[in-house]
Amino acid sequence: MEKRFKLAQYGPHLWTREKARQIRGRVAAVLETLETGGVLVIDAAGVEAFDFSFATELFGKTLLTLGSEYPGRFVIAENLNECTNENLGKGLESLNLTMIQRSQGQLKLLGKVHPADEETFAQIVGTGEAVSAGALSKKLEVNLTAMNERLSKLTNLGVVRREKGSSAAGREQYVYRVLS
């Protein structure tokens, strides 16, 4: 299930940590209503600008608590313009965080992203279904241990979901997907 949170309801210019703190409380209330597997889209349509402090407070602190307070849920940013994209990206980088950005229907990572993680994320998105570490390691020509490390990192960042599945031989294995 996907819910939208429209930032523009708070104005076209969003400044300061205090303003972001107030909005973060409302974001938390929406996250509470989502079930595991749910997606919260923070929609920046109509927001002309927000500053670095606002970005780190709203997005950074939300992402820092996402895994422990709202496990299995995704938060994605959408409709970012050049200014909001830059400030959010720099804010996330400063906190060593990564999140999903949706732009024109395409999913990509924003923040501190290693090229190998970006490649793995793009491959999972491109598959369009749950995929095993073994299948990904073959497709990207990476050894299985390295692939498992990449997938563990992406799962811990909250941008990839790990689920139990079964192999063609009927053995239990984990599979990975982005959103549902």
Side-chain angles (χ1 to χ4, degrees):
M1 175 184 223
E2 187 172 290
K3 289 193 177 183
R4 300 185 79 71
F5 186 90
K6 296 184 179 273
L7 277 181
Q9 67 185 310
Y10 302 100
H13 303 103
L14 301 171
W15 316 119
T16 75
R17 289 188 189 284
E18 184 56 40
K19 179 77 163 179
R21 205 172 287 124
Q22 295 166 6
I23 297 170
R24 188 164 46 88
R26 293 183 178 109
V27 166
V30 176
L31 282 167
E32 281 288 335
T33 68
L34 289 175
E35 295 181 18
T36 299
V39 178
L40 177 60
V41 177
I42 299 180
D43 186 350
V47 175
E48 295 173 23
F50 54 69
D51 65 358
F52 180 88
S53 295
F54 180 90
T56 56
E57 182 68 31
L58 176 62
F59 292 92
K61 288 196 176 173
T62 298
L63 293 172
L64 285 169
T65 61
L66 189 65
S68 60
E69 293 183 23
Y70 315 102
R73 295 165 182 94
F74 287 102
V75 173
I76 67 174
E78 189 172 68
N79 295 317
L80 297 170
N81 62 31
E82 186 178 344
C83 176
T84 56
N85 186 68
E86 180 179 350
N87 282 332
L88 179 53
K90 293 298 182 192
L92 293 173
E93 283 177 21
S94 75
L95 298 169
N96 291 321
L97 292 172
T98 302
M99 75 178 297
I100 300 171
Q101 175 187 4
R102 185 163 54 198
S103 178
Q104 299 174 356
Q106 300 295 311
L107 300 177
K108 62 183 185 176
L109 297 176
L110 179 65
K112 183 154 185 162
V113 185
H114 189 278
D117 299 328
E118 211 161 28
E119 176 186 46
T120 303
F121 180 84
Q123 187 63 48
I124 296 168
V125 170
T127 301
E129 59 187 14
V131 61
S132 70
L136 285 168
S137 73
K138 286 178 185 165
K139 185 77 173 173
L140 296 176
E141 299 178 1
V142 175
N143 75 50
L144 187 56
T145 301
M147 182 53 63
N148 280 321
E149 289 175 8
R150 288 184 189 186
L151 291 168
S152 177
K153 180 179 178 184
L154 291 171
T155 300
N156 290 336
L157 286 168
V159 297
V160 169
R161 181 177 301 123
R162 183 173 92 159
E163 303 169 344
K164 286 188 179 181
S166 45
S167 68
R171 292 190 188 102
E172 190 175 279
Q173 69 176 0
Y174 287 109
V175 292
Y176 300 85
R177 74 172 65 235
V178 176
L179 308 178
S180 291

